[in-house]
């Protein structure tokens, strides 16, 4: 069985998106140089993706991806947590699901097999997953921008402290932080 990882990028002040959902401060980040945008995390994203066997996200994140991507970007089974009857992305292996996060987690873990489950976010669903003890690892890529307001990495506070597993600075100025989340 693989890990369940919440992997997201956040501003220095802990936001994953502007209040209206905008993430252009992240997707357009070039490290203040003419750097190739695919190199901003020293290609660790490609290595991360190679180990992902299933993706799960909340409906707001799903709608953002649908609106801003030319094609569905994930070539593995996906789950979208929603109470609504949303349109399915063309060519996507997707399930629209609602209710208990642990049931959805079990399905995603079984489907991913030896690979990992990527909890894509946002903070709303990530909080539910942490509260139910479903996340093994948090990987946050800190982007050196300050938004002042926005949508948080987690919607709710989480009691206790977490174990820092690694700190990885990238040439672009981003820093990847990895934490163990005991179940
Ligand atoms: N920086 C990053 O790396 C990163 C990562 C992920 C997301 N984001 C951004 O974050 C923003 C969205 O984050 P968010 O926290 O506001 O929203 P979200 O977690 O993506 O979606 C929340 C929505 O999912 C549905 N939902 C949640 N739990 C459910 C359950 N148990 N059963 C059924 N439906 C459920 C609800 O909507 P309905 O039931 O009404 O559908 C809820 O309003 C987007 O702008 C996205 O681009 C950024």
């Amino acid at each position: 069985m693989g890990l369940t990882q919440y992997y997201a990028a956040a501003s220095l002040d802990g936001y994953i998106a502007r209040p209206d959902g905008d993430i252009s401060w992240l997707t357009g980040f070039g490290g203040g140089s003419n750097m190739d945008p695919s190199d901003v995390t020293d290609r660790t994203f490609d290595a991360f993706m190679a180990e992902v066997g299933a993706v799960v996200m909340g409906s707001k994140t799903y709608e953002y991806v649908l609106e801003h991507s030319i094609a569905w970007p994930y070539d593995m089974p996906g789950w979208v947590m929603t109470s609504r009857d949303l349109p399915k992305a063309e060519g996507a292996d997707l399930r629209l699901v609602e209710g208990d996060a642990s049931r959805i987690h079990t399905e995603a873990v079984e489907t991913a097999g030896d690979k990992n489950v990527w909890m894509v976010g946002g903070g709303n669903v990530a909080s539910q997953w942490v509260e139910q003890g479903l996340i093994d690892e948090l990987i946050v890529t800190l982007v050196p921008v300050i938004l002042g307001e926005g949508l948080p990495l987690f919607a709710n506070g989480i009691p206790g402290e977490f174990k820092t597993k690694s700190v990885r600075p990238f040439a672009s100025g981003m820093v990847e932080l990895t934490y163990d989340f005991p179940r």
Side-chain angles (χ1 to χ4, degrees):
M1 188 174 108
L3 295 172
T4 299
Q5 298 163 307
Y6 178 28
Y7 178 95
S11 65
L12 275 187
D13 48 351
Y15 299 114
I16 58 169
R18 291 193 189 276
D20 63 357
D22 172 56
I23 56 165
S24 56
W25 50 274
L26 162 65
T27 51
F29 182 79
S33 69
N34 294 327
M35 205 162 198
D36 174 350
S38 59
D39 277 340
V40 292
T41 61
D42 294 358
R43 301 201 176 271
T44 54
F45 180 70
D46 300 344
F48 168 81
M49 277 306 280
E51 297 303 316
V52 173
V55 294
V56 187
M57 66 191 75
S59 66
K60 289 191 180 162
T61 297
Y62 174 67
E63 288 178 301
Y64 190 91
V65 174
L66 273 191
E67 201 179 319
H68 293 86
S69 306
I70 297 161
W72 181 246
Y74 309 113
D75 65 352
M76 64 279 297
W79 282 255
V80 175
M81 295 181 71
T82 184
S83 58
R84 292 172 291 146
D85 187 19
L86 294 170
K88 279 200 188 172
E90 208 181 306
D93 178 3
L94 266 188
R95 296 132 199 87
L96 303 179
V97 287
E98 82 178 288
D100 184 32
S102 62
R103 178 181 48 84
I104 296 160
H105 175 253
T106 302
E107 278 179 35
V109 166
E110 280 171 6
T111 304
D114 289 341
K115 290 198 160 185
N116 300 324
V117 173
W118 179 15
M119 160 45 66
V120 181
N124 176 312
V125 293
S127 270
Q128 296 177 45
W129 280 50
V130 169
E131 282 157 13
Q132 296 204 35
L134 306 175
I135 302 283
D136 299 304
E137 207 172 73
L138 166 67
I139 306 170
V140 191
T141 306
L142 277 187
V143 184
V145 299
I146 294 175
L147 302 181
E149 56 177 351
L151 305 177
L153 186 61
F154 289 98
N156 305 321
I158 305 166
E161 295 172 358
F162 300 98
K163 192 173 167 218
T164 308
K165 213 167 163 182
S166 68
V167 177
R168 204 170 184 176
F170 300 130
S172 63
M174 288 181 171
V175 179
E176 184 188 86
L177 306 169
T178 304
Y179 299 91
D180 266 333
F181 269 42
R183 291 208 187 184

